[in-house]
Amino acid sequence: MASRFSGALQLTDLDDFITPSQECIKPVKIEKTKTKTGAKIKIGEDGYFDVSNGQEQKLQKVEITLADCLACSGCITSAESVLVTKQSQEELLRVFSERQYTDNKGVTRRVSLIVISLSPQPTLSLAARYKLSPEDATHKLAGYFKSLGADLVLDMTVAEDFSLMEAQQEFLQRYQNQQNDPNSKNLPMLASSCPGWVCYAEKTHGNFILPYISSTKSPQQIMGSLVKQHLSQARHLPAGELYHVTVMPCYDKKLEASREDFYNEMLSCHDVDCVITAIELEQMLESSGLHLGDVLGLELDSAWGEAGSGALRRHAGSGSGGFADHVFLHAAEQLFGESNAQLVYKNLRNPDFREVTLEKDGKEVLRFAIANGFRNIQNLVQKLKRGKSPYHYVEVMACPSGCLNGGAQVRPVVGESGRELVAQLEVLYNRLPLAVPAQSKMLRKLYAEWLGGKDSDKAKAMLHTAYHAVEKSDIALNIKW
Amino acid sequence: MSKLELVQTLTGHKGIVWNVSWHPQGKIFASCGEDKTIKLWSKEGQQWTIKTVLVDGHQRTIREVAWSPCGNYLASASFDATTAIWDKKSGQFECNATLEGHENEVKSVAWSPSGQLLATCGRDKSVWVWEVAGDDEYECESVLNAHHQDVKKVAWHPSLDILASASYDNSVKLYKEDPSDNDWSCIATLQSHESTVWSLTFDKTGERLATCSDDKTVKIWKEYKPDNQEGVIVTDRESVWKCVCTLSGFHTRCIYDITWCHHTGLLATACGDDIIRIFKESETSDPNAPTFDLVCTKLNAHTQDVNCVAWNPTGNKEMLSCSDDGEIKLWSYTE
């Protein structure tokens, strides 16, 4: 089976299937029990059994979690099969029906509230697949999840707003720091919402590139904090009893959700428990013989005390969330007093590498870029390494055309090119009602009520994260000629 | 009676010699190997001798070297994960650009016929296309993840910007650029070999491809273009490649390299049984089911695996070979 991870991740071996010459180097703790020598082991269909003391005793299997694979630079075992155990449609359906799940510490926990967070890109992908309007598709998806047993189906607008606001603010800070110390590694600031890119950077470029990557969490992980920290409190539920599912355009998001950084020790749970993608939803619908259009539609819920129901919204700029546009406009206004800066992108070597500049008194003062796809990530990284990057900010996404073309979006039908489909999704995206973070009352309210204000320690803790270089270890077994 | 006569044995490398590459004018060639050096050879009187040794370009084994079509640049692919570009703008050969991006061992490097593009491949299963973007500037045009195992070799079509790659996943893949977004994609997968495909070579028309494999066979593939006269069904307006001939029973071990002379049409193979073999297409060969005759078997061409064979590009029937035994040999073929 072809890998569904982005090209960047495929290269880092994360999707590697076990090949004969490779072995997992993860140290496994073995609980020693007193045994006589010469254990007799029987291989059964459902496992291995120790039969040395007369009765069959099932031997424990060594489990390797996705988190192990992410933190390791070794083999790697088939991360995809590891994913299957935790972040699959089967697991999701099981949680829906049993209302309990087993966390990565092996503890089985009761589920009191199942929360689904819908991001725009996969919803649009399914809208195109089932020939529905974006609004219709949103409602039908809400209805579908409710029919399966979800308690709340939410849009992620507010999490996206948070992510954009924090990125804008972070850029101003980095810009100032760079002015104060031109040799510092504050600029260019590189977007952090794409987990394929972040994981690639951690595994292959480590400490050279990580200081440039924005510390702002992605919308998915901010939504995770909102649901597990804020919503659980509002509902007076232990965070571990909330099961949080996000609907996303790529498989790499599953890796992001599984990161140790997004596991809360105090609450002992992940911020996002399961990531499900457009293509998996299509499969789920197909395997139950459903057409999304035939599902009873329901309004999205509202969880943050707003009036009325939620709705899918877009942000100005790229279909990947508009990071470059927001940061640019904010910086133009705050740093250079240009409240009406125009964003005119210029294609560089290919349509997936575009740049935009701001001039002040005939002098270029800001240069931003959008670099999508692995080849452009490469050229950007090489430019940085040679000290030839002219940019202040780069919106980096691992998939060509960005998130609307995410690796787990529904495939084009026979006779339709991938590009035509992406163009169609761009049209749908641009028809969504616009969300403007700076004008969001909800955002202001949450900053005040949940985080105790902008720039508070809590805001920093909830809305920012850190990255870690993965050390390479070249084990002999890995070398192949 | 056809024969391959040894002209000269060239020593100088320490350890395995992995690859040799003729300069396009056929008067110089480059060699590389385990000793992390590149040696440039040319003729002095009747003897080929080392003219230049390029050191310090790579930290590990150099697996392959390739001259640009203009003859001014030399690319070297190394297990240190980099590809170096050498030129002598300053008067002597120097490494003036390094292509970084592969995760680990780079196995092969090839220049496109125009000299504007380069392809590399390696253990990370990917094939990369690079564009010459100016003086000592190379930009990544595409990273292709079509193979699911180690990629052993890349080779360009002789006149078009079509790239072929051979892999440990037993398949060969062809790629070309999509003008709408300048990205490259896989346009054909050639499947028939039962083990690793080690090398591949186009004929002079580019309409046929010869591949060699660990399965001890050589296969000849023919391109069927849209609306071909033979009535082979072509979908999506992309040519279909069919295996039209399998040469089996000739080689006794893994075949590491194959080269198709664009002047004489002769096919030569480098084999793990230390033998160099030469095949010639029969006079009566049917284009849709061609037949090839083994016209020469050079037993004990080397004392260990033959890693590479290369016809002199001028068509003078000179051939180079190199081996695990540390030697390079220059041969002359006569019918």
Side-chain angles (χ1 to χ4, degrees), chain A residues 6-8 10-13 15-17 19-20 22 200 203-204 349-353 374-376 378-379 382-383 385-386 388 400 419 472 474 478-481, chain B residues 18 60 79 98-105 107 123-126 128 131-133 137-143 145 149-150 152 168 178 180-184 198:
Chain A
S6 64
Q10 289 181 42
L11 204 69
T12 62
D13 256 6
D15 71 318
D16 220 349
F17 293 94
T19 52
Q22 295 180 324
Y200 171 76
K203 286 212 164 196
T204 57
R349 307 187 58 77
N350 53 62
D352 270 333
F353 205 137
F374 189 55
R375 56 179 172 159
N376 293 318
Q378 273 312 310
N379 290 328
Q382 294 309 325
K383 273 203 182 95
K385 281 197 162 173
R386 298 194 181 120
K388 286 185 175 173
R419 205 158 302 105
K472 275 202 180 177
D474 226 340
N478 251 344
I479 299 168
K480 249 195 315 196
W481 286 269
Chain B
W18 279 116
R60 289 183 61 193
F79 285 1
T98 306
L99 314 185
E100 290 175 53
H102 277 287
E103 271 291 283
N104 38 47
E105 290 87 335
K107 300 285 177 84
R123 198 191 114 198
D124 64 14
K125 304 171 213 167
S126 64
W128 295 50
E131 189 180 358
V132 183
E137 287 286 333
Y138 294 79
E139 294 249 9
C140 168
E141 273 274 296
S142 188
V143 179
N145 287 304
Q149 288 295 345
D150 198 2
K152 299 293 188 189
Y168 186 73
D178 183 335
S180 69
D181 63 356
N182 311 102
D183 207 349
W184 289 64
W198 275 95

Side-chain angles (χ1 to χ4, degrees), chain A residues 135-412:
Chain A
E135 201 182 5
D136 253 2
T138 310
H139 293 158
K140 302 283 185 186
L141 275 174
Y144 176 62
F145 280 116
K146 291 274 173 81
S147 75
L148 292 175
D151 300 295
L152 288 175
V153 182
L154 307 172
D155 66 276
M156 295 177 56
T157 310
V158 72
E160 289 155 8
D161 286 348
F162 264 125
S163 196
L164 290 167
M165 280 297 247
E166 289 296 311
Q168 288 175 186
Q169 205 52 42
E170 183 185 348
F171 180 79
L172 296 185
Q173 188 62 51
R174 281 174 175 264
Y175 189 89
Q176 290 303 342
N177 294 349
Q178 191 79 18
Q179 297 292 313
N180 297 339
D181 177 6
N183 294 322
S184 66
K185 292 180 97 175
N186 279 285
L187 294 181
M189 172 166 142
L190 306 176
S192 61
S193 71
C194 171
W197 148 239
V198 170
C199 191
Y200 171 76
E202 287 182 324
K203 286 212 164 196
T204 57
H205 298 290
N207 292 326
F208 169 74
I209 209 95
L210 297 182
Y212 298 110
I213 298 183
S214 162
S215 67
T216 303
K217 281 189 193 172
S218 71
Q220 165 172 290
Q221 293 312 132
I222 290 178
M223 193 68 182
S225 299
L226 269 166
V227 167
K228 291 286 174 110
Q229 308 264 351
H230 190 53
L231 185 66
S232 67
Q233 277 187 7
R235 302 260 168 156
H236 307 293
L237 288 169
E241 284 188 23
L242 268 74
Y243 190 78
H244 183 205
V245 181
T246 59
V247 179
M248 286 287 146
C250 74
Y251 284 87
D252 299 1
K253 283 283 173 192
K254 295 179 191 253
L255 302 180
E256 182 182 30
S258 308
R259 288 172 71 96
E260 282 290 331
D261 308 82
F262 303 134
Y263 181 82
N264 190 313
E265 287 293 343
M266 279 214 315
L267 305 175
S268 58
C269 66
H270 270 108
D271 295 334
V272 175
D273 297 291
C274 183
V275 175
I276 206 84
T277 62
I279 204 166
E280 288 166 298
L281 277 167
E282 184 196 28
Q283 285 166 8
M284 283 166 72
L285 286 161
E286 272 177 8
S287 63
S288 32
L290 283 172
H291 184 284
L292 190 59
D294 299 335
V295 175
L296 178 69
L298 289 172
E299 295 283 332
L300 289 184
D301 294 290
S302 51
W304 322 112
E306 67 265 49
S309 54
L312 219 54
R313 292 178 189 281
R314 75 180 164 101
H315 286 90
S318 71
S320 309
F323 283 89
D325 285 42
H326 283 79
V327 175
F328 185 89
L329 292 176
H330 189 69
E333 187 171 356
Q334 297 292 317
L335 298 171
F336 303 102
E338 293 283 337
S339 52
N340 238 333
Q342 295 300 306
L343 284 145
V344 184
Y345 281 95
K346 194 173 84 198
N347 277 3
L348 293 183
R349 307 187 58 77
N350 53 62
D352 270 333
F353 205 137
R354 299 183 289 153
E355 63 176 45
V356 59
T357 56
L358 179 73
E359 284 191 10
K360 178 95 181 163
D361 308 326
K363 207 178 137 240
E364 180 186 299
V365 288
L366 285 181
R367 185 183 284 223
F368 278 38
I370 296 179
N372 290 330
F374 189 55
R375 56 179 172 159
N376 293 318
I377 288 182
Q378 273 312 310
N379 290 328
L380 175 68
V381 170
Q382 294 309 325
K383 273 203 182 95
L384 270 170
K385 281 197 162 173
R386 298 194 181 120
K388 286 185 175 173
S389 156
Y391 303 113
H392 295 94
Y393 178 91
V394 187
E395 178 182 309
V396 187
M397 301 288 159
C399 292
S401 311
C403 298
L404 285 171
N405 186 37
Q409 296 278 71
V410 177
R411 303 270 144 257

Side-chain angles (χ1 to χ4, degrees), chain B residues 79-189:
Chain B
F79 285 1
D80 68 9
T82 68
T83 304
I85 311 291
W86 309 75
D87 64 58
K88 56 171 184 179
K89 284 195 284 260
S90 68
Q92 53 186 342
F93 272 96
E94 282 176 340
C95 172
N96 284 318
T98 306
L99 314 185
E100 290 175 53
H102 277 287
E103 271 291 283
N104 38 47
E105 290 87 335
V106 187
K107 300 285 177 84
S108 177
V109 56
W111 296 85
S112 73
S114 66
Q116 286 305 299
L117 299 168
L118 264 167
T120 57
C121 66
R123 198 191 114 198
D124 64 14
K125 304 171 213 167
S126 64
V127 171
W128 295 50
V129 181
W130 310 79
E131 189 180 358
V132 183
D135 260 359
D136 303 329
E137 287 286 333
Y138 294 79
E139 294 249 9
C140 168
E141 273 274 296
S142 188
V143 179
L144 296 152
N145 287 304
H147 284 292
H148 42 265
Q149 288 295 345
D150 198 2
V151 189
K152 299 293 188 189
K153 188 89 173 179
V154 279
W156 289 93
H157 185 287
S159 53
L160 304 172
D161 283 343
I162 289 176
L163 178 67
S165 64
S167 163
Y168 186 73
D169 68 10
N170 304 356
S171 75
V172 169
K173 291 188 186 273
L174 300 179
Y175 315 86
K176 75 171 188 193
E177 187 181 13
D178 183 335
S180 69
D181 63 356
N182 311 102
D183 207 349
W184 289 64
S185 57
C186 177
I187 51 166
T189 299

Side-chain angles (χ1 to χ4, degrees), chain B residues 1-3 266 278-280 293-297 333 335:
Chain B
M1 191 53 197
S2 306
K3 61 179 179 189
L266 294 167
I278 295 171
F279 295 87
K280 188 179 181 189
D293 301 316
L294 177 64
V295 292
C296 179
T297 304
Y333 177 77
E335 300 241 303

